[in-house]
């Protein structure tokens, strides 16, 4: 295989733009060959930022994936297009890194996994970027080394800054819900710390709407709590908010038999602290993109390396399936108010 992987980016909104610029400037073993989007303002951005660097710009997805020399695609289109784009790319023998979720339907993901087993020369990885953030990577290594004994309980939270511009509500309408859209990252972290083969026993969730009252029209909430019990007795607790005033705040604690690990417990943009009449003040991250900007590069490095060096992908699709089932159960629970139970094979009762 060539020394660089020729990659295209599908969808060049905020996420796609981040991937495209990283591929262009920060991932040494990747070559950004092409991008596509049907949105005129995104095409205009690509013509200004990417085309001068030799990147081919397309308005049509089918035309882009026929680009000579293309080997892989990064799918950052809207969630409802992920399955279509993933399957079309795989049909052409292209490797795929797809932003989560590939689908919000576990049955569909099961069929995609079955397809990848029958098509082993085409790789598919779901992009769960937090696994590649340096602090979470370090914590996982410490847990695997037995520093805190056996991990027993995880508490993980993510809070996003309140956005009343109207953009968030339109995004949330098609996102699948707070657990499928955002908490699924914390669920994936749970599997990365406890083990990708974990089997859920029960899920319970509750939530409320504090600001985005339009959500009543599509069965979602802007603040939520979820609890997952696994068959081996371990527990995960999640809190997520879309209404904070101070900025983005993602933190995780893992309690073990012999200690505890905390990650990002105080969300600081940098190491600067101001001591004044208001107390000791530090800035929080403005958004999740700011907190994980280097993790996106590490994720792309790992994907590219796995393809070029014919290594196993760093994320197993089976773990993404387990995470999706848990997220869907929590989303259903927050709507129904009822606990969702699983059998010992991880199938819903």
């Amino acid at each position: 295989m060539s020394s660089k992987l020729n990659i295209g980016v599908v969808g060049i909104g905020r996420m796609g733009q981040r991937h495209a610029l990283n591929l262009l400037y920060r991932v040494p073993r990747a070559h950004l060959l092409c991008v596509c989007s049907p949105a005129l303002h995104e095409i205009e951005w690509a013509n200004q930022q990417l085309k001068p660097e030799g990147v081919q710009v397309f308005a049509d997805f089918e035309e882009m994936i026929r680009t000579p020399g293309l080997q892989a695609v990064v799918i950052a289109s809207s969630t409802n297009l992920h399955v279509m784009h993933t399957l079309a790319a795989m049909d052409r023998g292209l490797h795929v890194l797809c932003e989560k979720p590939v689908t919000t339907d576990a049955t569909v993901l099961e069929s995609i996994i079955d397809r990848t087993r029958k098509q082993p020369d085409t790789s598919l990885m779901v992009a769960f970027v937090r696994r590649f953030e340096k602090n979470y990577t370090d914590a996982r290594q410490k847990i695997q080394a037995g520093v805190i004994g056996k991990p027993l309980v995880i508490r993980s939270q993510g809070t996003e800054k309140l956005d009343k511009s109207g953009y968030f509500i339109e995004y949330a309408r098609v996102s699948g819900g707070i657990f499928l859209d955002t908490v699924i990252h914390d669920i994936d972290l749970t599997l990365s710390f406890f083990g990708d083969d974990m089997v859920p026993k029960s899920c319970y969730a509750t939530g409320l709407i504090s600001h985005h009252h339009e959500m009543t029209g599509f069965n979602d909430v802007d603040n939520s709590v979820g609890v997952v019990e696994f068959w081996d007795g371990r527990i995960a607790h999640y809190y997520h908010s879309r209404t904070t005033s101070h900025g983005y705040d993602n933190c995780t604690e893992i309690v073990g038999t012999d200690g505890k690990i905390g990650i990002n417990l105080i969300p600081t943009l940098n190491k600067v602290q101001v001591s004044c009449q208001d107390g000791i003040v530090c800035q929080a991250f403005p958004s999740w993109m700011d907190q994980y900007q280097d993790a996106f590069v590490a994720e792309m490095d790992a994907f590219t390396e796995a393809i070029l060096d014919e290594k196993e992908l760093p994320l197993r699709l089976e773990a993404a399936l387990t995470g999706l089932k848990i997220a869907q159960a929590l989303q259903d629970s927050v709507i129904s108010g009822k606990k969702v139970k699983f059998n010992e094979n991880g199938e819903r009762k």
Side-chain angles (χ1 to χ4, degrees):
M1 189 173 284
S2 61
S3 59
K4 288 196 174 187
L5 188 67
N6 290 325
I7 302 181
V9 176
V10 183
I12 40 177
R14 288 192 300 172
M15 178 68 79
Q17 289 175 17
R18 173 59 58 91
H19 283 309
L21 293 173
N22 285 341
L23 286 165
L24 194 59
Y25 299 116
R26 300 188 65 188
V27 184
R29 300 188 69 186
H31 172 235
L32 180 62
L33 185 64
C34 50
V35 299
C36 78
S37 172
L40 292 178
H41 68 282
E42 294 177 7
I43 291 288
E44 182 179 357
W45 176 87
N47 284 333
Q48 293 175 354
Q49 301 293 326
L50 306 178
K51 199 168 185 177
E53 301 298 329
V55 179
Q56 299 176 57
V57 180
F58 297 91
D60 181 73
F61 167 73
E62 293 292 339
E63 186 179 359
M64 191 205 83
I65 62 173
R66 293 195 297 268
T67 303
L70 185 63
Q71 297 168 290
V73 293
V74 176
I75 297 176
S77 52
S78 59
T79 298
N80 60 309
L81 297 175
H82 284 184
V83 171
M84 181 182 75
H85 288 159
T86 295
L87 295 180
M90 292 176 67
D91 281 342
R92 293 197 62 84
L94 300 174
H95 304 288
V96 177
L97 174 63
C98 184
E99 280 300 325
K100 61 80 203 163
V102 176
T103 172
T104 57
D105 187 327
T107 302
V108 173
L109 184 53
E110 286 174 341
S111 68
I112 293 174
I113 292 173
D114 184 59
R115 179 172 174 165
T116 61
R117 291 170 181 156
K118 297 174 181 176
Q119 197 174 335
D121 293 334
T122 303
S123 301
L124 169 62
M125 181 173 126
V126 184
F128 283 107
V129 69
R130 293 186 196 174
R131 287 201 187 208
F132 299 92
E133 199 270 337
K134 62 181 182 180
N135 295 297
Y136 282 105
T137 298
D138 183 46
R140 186 163 55 250
Q141 291 170 347
K142 285 180 167 57
I143 289 171
Q144 291 170 348
V147 171
I148 61 168
K150 179 182 177 180
L152 301 174
V153 178
I154 285 179
R155 181 189 70 83
S156 194
Q157 77 171 39
T159 66
E160 304 169 52
K161 197 166 185 177
L162 177 64
D163 174 14
K164 295 291 281 186
S165 68
Y167 168 82
F168 169 74
I169 282 296
E170 294 312 306
Y171 169 81
R173 287 184 197 278
V174 296
S175 70
I178 193 167
F179 287 98
L180 284 159
D181 180 48
T182 55
V183 181
I184 197 167
H185 279 291
D186 302 274
I187 296 167
D188 182 68
L189 282 177
T190 300
L191 299 176
S192 78
F193 290 132
F194 281 174
D196 284 340
D197 57 350
M198 294 293 293
V199 179
K201 182 178 182 182
S202 69
C203 297
Y204 173 72
T206 187
L208 56 86
I209 299 175
S210 61
H211 287 81
H212 296 293
H213 297 287
E214 306 94 323
M215 287 182 156
T216 56
F218 50 94
N219 290 324
D220 204 2
V221 295
D222 59 20
N223 281 264
S224 64
V225 172
V227 177
V228 182
E229 179 188 14
F230 294 93
W231 272 101
D232 71 353
R234 289 188 268 188
I235 298 169
H237 170 279
Y238 309 119
Y239 166 63
H240 196 88
S241 172
R242 290 159 158 168
T243 62
T244 58
S245 58
H246 64 277
Y248 183 72
D249 179 359
N250 174 224
C251 66
T252 305
E253 285 184 302
I254 307 101
V255 179
T257 54
D258 300 319
K260 180 177 75 170
I261 289 177
I263 307 144
N264 300 325
L265 297 185
I266 300 178
T268 55
L269 178 64
N270 50 41
K271 302 298 182 183
V272 176
Q273 289 185 336
V274 177
S275 299
C276 59
Q277 61 184 6
D278 295 323
I280 300 175
V281 181
C282 59
Q283 283 184 289
F285 290 100
S287 71
W288 53 267
M289 278 198 175
D290 297 283
Q291 181 160 348
Y292 294 112
Q293 57 182 317
D294 291 332
F296 283 110
V297 177
E299 176 185 62
M300 198 64 68
D301 276 330
F303 174 73
T304 303
E305 179 183 313
I307 303 303
L308 289 174
D309 296 342
E310 299 182 352
K311 295 180 178 179
E312 185 178 351
L313 289 169
L315 272 81
R316 295 170 53 238
L317 286 175
E318 290 78 7
L321 176 60
T322 300
L324 177 59
K325 289 179 178 180
I326 292 172
Q328 185 63 72
L330 289 168
Q331 193 69 41
D332 291 344
S333 178
V334 82
I335 295 169
S336 70
K338 298 178 180 179
K339 180 182 284 190
V340 176
K341 296 182 179 181
F342 295 80
N343 64 25
E344 293 185 55
N345 295 319
E347 302 298 332
R348 283 173 69 158
K349 293 184 177 180

